[in-house]
Amino acid sequence: MMHLITGGSGSGKSAYAESQVLAAGPGRRIYIATMIPYGEEGRQRVERHRALRREKQFETVECYTGLAELSLKDKITQTTAEGAAFSSSSKDTMVLLECMSNLVANEVFEPDGAQERTVEAVCEGIRRLRRQTRHLFIVTNEIFSDGITYDPETMRYLSYLGAVNQRLAGMADAVTEVVYGIPVRLK
C-alpha cells in the first residue's frame, strides 16, 4: 500500500503521516530522511527529530539523492552489525519518506543529483522502494498555491516537484491532503 500525504507548511502532514505508520500495525518502521543537515543548527534539528522518532520505534535512514539505489536489506545488515536485530522480510516493513520536496531539490541542485532526469530518477526510486515494503507513506509539500513567479531555476524545481507529485498520486493507493491538521482524503 502506498499513501501520498500532502499539505502546506505547518499543516500537520508529518504528524498525520507518522500516525498512519503507527496505525498500520506492528513491524519494522523506517524513516527515510531527505533533508541535508547544513550547519550546526541543521545537525541539531536532525538529532532532535531522530530522538522523537526513536520513541516511536523508527529507524532513520538518510537518503539525499539516488533513491533507486537504496536497498533496505543493506540497511538491515548495517543496523544488525551495530547490535540491533531486524527481520529482512519486506512483508513487515513500513517506510515513511519525508519529504519529497527535499529529495527533488537535492536531485535538482546537488552535484551528484539527477539534474534534468530528476522526475524519472525519483519515480524509479519510489517504484523500487515500494517493492521493498508492506506500506509506503510519502510526505510532500503543496507549494503551488502562492501565485508567485520565481526565478527560472526555482521554476524548474517547482515543475519537477509538480510532475513528481502528479505521478506519485497516480501510483498511490491513497492520497490525503492535510489542511489545518484535518486530513482530507482525495483518493
Side-chain angles (χ1 to χ4, degrees), residues 3 5 12-25 29-33 46 48-60 94-98 135-139 178:
H3 190 162
I5 300 160
K13 63 189 174 295
S14 296
Y16 174 75
E18 286 185 13
S19 75
Q20 293 300 290
V21 174
L22 296 175
R29 297 177 185 137
I30 299 174
Y31 181 99
I32 299 178
V46 165
R48 186 175 62 249
H49 287 203
R50 276 180 171 235
L52 291 170
R53 288 190 303 270
R54 198 172 303 120
E55 293 174 6
K56 297 174 185 172
Q57 299 178 329
F58 277 95
E59 291 175 65
T60 300
M94 292 163 285
V95 171
L96 171 55
L97 185 146
E98 187 164 357
H135 295 296
L136 173 58
F137 301 87
I138 302 167
V139 175
V178 180

Side-chain angles (χ1 to χ4, degrees), residues 108-173:
V108 171
F109 298 117
E110 288 297 311
D112 63 338
Q115 314 295 319
E116 66 278 346
R117 288 197 59 258
T118 292
V119 175
E120 294 77 19
V122 168
C123 291
E124 176 55 33
I126 293 299
R127 283 189 291 275
R128 186 163 192 273
L129 189 59
R130 190 175 187 184
R131 290 190 298 267
Q132 298 179 62
T133 64
R134 176 171 47 127
H135 295 296
L136 173 58
F137 301 87
I138 302 167
V139 175
T140 191
N141 284 301
E142 199 299 299
I143 57 172
F144 306 100
S145 300
D146 62 10
I148 298 173
T149 301
Y150 296 95
D151 63 86
E153 197 167 349
T154 302
M155 292 302 290
R156 180 172 62 102
Y157 158 71
L158 291 174
S159 72
Y160 288 171
L161 180 58
V164 166
N165 285 346
Q166 288 177 39
R167 288 190 189 179
L168 296 184
M171 294 166 56
D173 301 296

